[in-house]
């Protein structure tokens, strides 16, 4: 009863096996498991990738080290396209600026799933608060600096909140 379905022609709701996961918690678990296996962590930028034909043989790091490797995993996130290019590979990954907002609401809906409005704006409960985002324009939103974490505060008040207030 709290959801306005005006303008919605279809939707999906599963009773089990659906939801979201906490990516940061998953990363923490991976790191813990790797430490238990005595894996070394090196904090350095990849500046070059060595190849022998079609096989990657190592990486050069910004700290001056060179590591030989039989397998290299590209886990560069928003920079994965740039890292792949160092190996002569084209990977269509580029940084995009995204904003995630946390808000409280007087009304709490215990049965609220992750909702994605047709506009692309999403909202989901997170404990006693809600998380929302997804209002960035698709065109021209490539972020040349993936380290730009400056929040676009007007996006919440001017774009996201009116959509949420209409839908919920």
């Amino acid at each position: 009863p709290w959801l306005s379905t005006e303008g919605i022609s279809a939707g999906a709701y599963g009773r089990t096996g659906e939801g979201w996961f906490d990516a940061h918690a998953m990363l923490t678990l991976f790191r813990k498991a790797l430490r238990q296996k005595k894996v070394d962590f090196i904090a350095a930028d990849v500046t070059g990738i060595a190849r022998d034909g079609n096989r990657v043989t190592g990486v050069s790091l910004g700290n001056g080290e060179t590591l030989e490797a039989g397998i290299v995993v590209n886990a560069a996130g928003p920079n994965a396209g740039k890292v792949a290019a160092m190996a002569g590979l084209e990977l269509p990954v580029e940084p995009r600026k995204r904003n995630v907002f946390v808000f409280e609401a007087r009304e709490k809906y215990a049965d609220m799933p992750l909702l994605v409005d047709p506009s692309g704006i999403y909202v989901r409960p997170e404990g006693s608060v809600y998380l929302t985002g997804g209002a960035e324009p698709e065109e021209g939103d490539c972020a040349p600096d993936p380290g730009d974490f400056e929040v676009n505060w007007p996006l919440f008040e001017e774009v996201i909140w009116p959509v949420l207030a209409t839908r919920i």
Side-chain angles (χ1 to χ4, degrees):
W2 48 265
L3 179 66
S4 169
T5 59
E6 187 173 327
I8 304 292
S9 57
Y13 180 75
R15 296 196 179 271
T16 62
E18 293 185 1
W20 56 86
F21 70 94
D22 182 336
H24 189 278
M26 185 174 81
L27 176 62
T28 301
L29 289 171
F30 279 143
R31 285 182 176 158
K32 182 179 177 183
L34 291 170
R35 281 190 191 99
Q36 289 172 347
K37 294 184 181 300
K38 308 286 189 232
V39 171
D40 294 327
F41 288 86
I42 300 170
D45 292 335
V46 173
T47 57
I49 296 178
R51 291 176 47 163
D52 182 8
N54 286 333
R55 196 171 77 76
V56 170
T57 58
V59 295
S60 300
L61 303 178
N63 63 8
E65 288 184 70
T66 299
L67 304 174
E68 291 183 16
I71 296 175
V72 173
V73 176
N74 182 348
N79 289 318
K82 290 179 183 176
V83 171
M86 292 179 203
L89 302 171
E90 185 177 337
L91 185 64
V93 174
E94 60 189 15
R96 299 284 175 153
K97 177 134 181 171
R98 297 293 180 246
N99 295 267
V100 178
F101 299 94
V102 177
F103 68 94
E104 291 183 292
R106 283 185 293 248
E107 301 286 333
K108 306 284 187 218
Y109 304 110
D111 62 340
M112 182 181 198
L114 165 67
L115 295 177
V116 182
D117 186 78
S119 67
I121 292 171
Y122 66 87
V123 63
R124 71 170 177 85
E126 178 68 29
S128 64
V129 295
Y130 294 91
L131 298 181
T132 188
E136 294 84 358
E138 285 299 320
E139 289 185 25
D141 72 344
C142 183
D145 178 13
D148 175 11
F149 294 106
E150 190 66 33
V151 178
N152 181 357
W153 295 108
L155 193 63
F156 181 79
E157 288 287 335
E158 297 169 9
V159 180
I160 295 175
W161 190 249
V163 170
L164 296 180
T166 301
R167 184 66 57 208
I168 301 172

